[in-house]
Amino acid sequence: GIPGTGKTHFTFSLIRGLLDFYPNVLCDIRFFKSTVLDSQLLAYTKQYGEASVFMNHLKELDFLFIDDFGLESDTSRLFLQYNDLIDSRLYNNKKTNISTNLKDEQIVKSFGDRVLSRLKEYSWIEFDGPDLRRGRVL
């Protein structure tokens, strides 16, 4: 959905629900803004020549939430890392929640057909409506 339609709010509601339902899995739930995740992957890659230890941690989490998918830098490194991460989590039945403002064709342009194909195996919720931030009184 477009910015401001409640995707991040919905994500935090899911996390709160998980913490209420599974109070002992706090260490198995991680939330990342996609740009922060990209920065961490890049830092590990620069420091160690690869990000395999961090990637393995991400692959093993019971619940991974990635917010604003598609705002990352557009690089072949990122394409390979996201393809590996999404592929591994999907086939190991790890729960992944990804929010994005991107349409299918934009995902293909940034991450390729393989990533979109894998993402299509997840359930999708379309957030349609007005930008809820507009007109809000602070």
Side-chain angles (χ1 to χ4, degrees):
I2 64 170
T5 54
K7 294 178 301 297
T8 302
H9 181 78
F10 180 75
T11 297
F12 285 130
S13 294
L14 288 174
I15 293 169
R16 279 190 297 275
L18 284 169
L19 293 173
D20 288 344
F21 196 75
Y22 301 106
N24 297 326
V25 296
L26 180 60
C27 62
D28 289 321
I29 299 172
R30 292 292 183 273
F31 171 90
F32 290 95
K33 285 294 214 182
S34 64
T35 52
V36 172
L37 179 57
D38 180 30
S39 295
Q40 290 185 358
L41 287 167
L42 180 59
Y44 275 95
T45 302
K46 284 183 177 180
Q47 185 172 357
Y48 302 109
E50 61 181 50
S52 61
V53 172
F54 184 52
M55 284 287 289
N56 287 337
H57 171 69
L58 295 172
K59 291 175 185 179
E60 294 300 318
L61 292 169
D62 289 327
F63 300 96
L64 176 63
F65 294 83
I66 303 172
D67 190 43
D68 283 334
F69 180 75
L71 293 181
E72 310 83 349
S73 57
D74 187 10
T75 66
S76 59
R77 169 199 55 84
L78 188 64
F79 165 79
L80 293 171
Q81 287 173 329
Y82 267 109
N83 185 61
D84 182 32
L85 178 61
I86 292 167
D87 190 52
S88 176
R89 292 190 59 78
L90 179 66
Y91 291 109
N92 289 305
N93 202 29
K94 298 295 183 176
K95 306 303 181 224
T96 309
N97 178 286
I98 299 173
S99 71
T100 186
N101 298 328
L102 301 181
K103 303 265 186 227
D104 290 1
E105 59 274 3
Q106 295 167 304
I107 293 172
V108 168
K109 183 179 178 194
S110 295
F111 298 98
D113 289 323
R114 293 181 67 180
V115 169
L116 178 63
S117 177
R118 281 158 180 77
L119 290 176
K120 286 293 186 176
E121 293 196 41
Y122 291 110
S123 298
W124 285 56
I125 300 172
E126 180 75 25
F127 284 77
D128 191 20
D131 183 340
L132 301 173
R133 292 186 195 107
R134 293 182 191 253
R136 183 173 65 182
V137 177
L138 298 177

